[in-house]
């Protein structure tokens, strides 16, 4: 059997294969509430045959949204909107659903990407004052964030826990904390964005303190698996490093982290990244060699043979796909066909099994 299509457990959650649909922001929410777009988007991916589907970065407070059109889970209205989407999906798919809980920090208050994606100033329509570990903007011309004081830290910690409880009420199977791509928890980790002189800044232990407090708060509020996405490196001299990532991963594992997803970058505009297929896989391998929990690789993984090699070679335990799944929502089906595996398919699609791949489909009924 292809390694990519062997089962794996993430904590107490059993997955049928090692493909995860990664969280992908759609910038299509209204006041933090999911819309029909999310039903269409997540609905098609729920039929993908992947081992798990992850809901996009979901803000735990309104000011934690990347843009004004981002999804949130911070009040009854946002919870009800998400419940509507999940209820519809679960009528026809039993795919495990995870949610990525996030706070954008200084990278919040932006326009939609197709409208330029730039920061929107606090006084402008759809803009607000951003928050961060230190009053350092992402780009020099931008409005600077306000450095979080202790009450602010307490509010955000509580908001993460509250969102985790809402996730549990929604029946979500796993929570992923977003500590990557330059958003708030990553901002605390990196010395480039964290210039605090209190117990949350300076040493590695101090810079890890708030993200670890958030993890503990979420794990205390959510009974299922809690995982974390990290940036393995900032790709900037003097920034967050793979060695620090390993130390953070070990601290998370000691607290009961169920899995870690290793991405990179996003914190500083001076990053230098040489893009190539699987360019982040060596970072995942470094983390995998240091921890026992499952490690997920992500980044320009587009080919079935490539994904199979990552798992078969022990570089990672799973792979996460994002843009490849947008381009081809049946990517796991096609990977299974290429690797001689089987894939779960709803009975409505049974007649579509290709003649050259008889036995590919494993029909899920009810």
């Amino acid at each position: 059997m292809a390694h990519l299509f062997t089962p794996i457990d993430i904590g107490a959650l059993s997955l049928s294969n090692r493909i995860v649909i990664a969280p992908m922001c759609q910038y299509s929410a209204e006041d933090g509430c999911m819309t029909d777009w999310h039903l269409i988007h997540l609905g098609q991916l729920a039929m993908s045959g992947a081992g798990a589907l992850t809901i996009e970065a979901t803000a735990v407070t309104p000011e934690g949204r990347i843009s004004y059109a981002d999804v949130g889970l911070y009040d009854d209205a946002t919870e009800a909107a998400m419940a509507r989407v999940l209820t519809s999906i679960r009528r026809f798919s039993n795919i495990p659903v995870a949610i990525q809980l996030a706070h954008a920090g200084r990278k919040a208050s932006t326009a939609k990407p197709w409208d330029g994606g730039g920061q929107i100033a606090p006084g402008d329509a759809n803009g607000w004052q951003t928050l961060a570990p230190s009053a350092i903007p992402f780009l020099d011309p931008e409005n600077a964030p306000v450095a979080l004081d202790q009450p602010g830290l307490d509010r955000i910690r509580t908001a993460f826990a509250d969102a985790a409880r809402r996730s549990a009420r929604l029946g979500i199977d796993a929570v992923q904390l977003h500590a990557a791509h330059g958003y708030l928890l990553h901002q605390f980790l990196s010395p480039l964005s964290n210039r605090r002189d209190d117990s949350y800044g300076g040493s590695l232990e101090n810079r890890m303190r708030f993200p670890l407090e958030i993890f503990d708060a979420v794990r205390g509020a959510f009974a299922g698996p809690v995982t974390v996405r990290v940036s393995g490196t900032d790709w900037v001299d003097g920034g967050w490093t793979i060695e620090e990532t390993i130390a953070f991963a070990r601290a998370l594992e000691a607290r009961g982290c169920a899995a870690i997803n290793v991405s990179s970058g996003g914190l500083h505009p001076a990053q230098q990244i040489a893009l190539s297929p699987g360019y982040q896989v060596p970072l995942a391998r470094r983390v995998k060699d240091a921890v026992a929990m499952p490690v997920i690789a992500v980044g320009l993984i587009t080919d079935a043979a490539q994904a199979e090699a990552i798992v078969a070679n022990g570089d990672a335990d799973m792979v996460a796909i994002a843009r490849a799944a947008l381009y081809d929502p049946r990517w796991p089906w096609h990977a299974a066909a290429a690797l001689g595996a089987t894939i779960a398919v709803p009975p409505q699609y049974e007649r579509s099994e290709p003649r050259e791949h008889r036995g590919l489909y494993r029909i899920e009924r009810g």
Side-chain angles (χ1 to χ4, degrees), residues 31 62-70 105-112 117-131 143-144:
D31 295 323
E63 68 273 11
R65 293 173 295 167
I66 301 168
S67 80
Y68 64 91
D70 274 35
R106 70 181 187 178
K107 292 181 74 176
S109 187
T110 68
K112 299 177 184 180
Q119 186 191 64
I120 300 175
D124 294 345
N126 299 318
W128 58 87
Q129 177 61 57
T130 59
L131 305 170
N143 178 72

Side-chain angles (χ1 to χ4, degrees), residues 62-135:
E63 68 273 11
R65 293 173 295 167
I66 301 168
S67 80
Y68 64 91
D70 274 35
V71 169
L73 187 57
Y74 44 70
D75 59 17
D76 291 346
T78 54
E79 183 179 342
M82 190 173 290
R84 170 180 169 271
V85 170
L86 289 171
T87 297
S88 295
I89 288 172
R90 286 174 174 142
R91 287 184 61 199
F92 302 105
S93 174
N94 61 7
I95 191 170
V97 177
I99 186 170
Q100 185 185 71
L101 297 182
H103 191 297
R106 70 181 187 178
K107 292 181 74 176
S109 187
T110 68
K112 299 177 184 180
W114 51 85
D115 292 330
Q119 186 191 64
I120 300 175
D124 294 345
N126 299 318
W128 58 87
Q129 177 61 57
T130 59
L131 305 170
S134 303

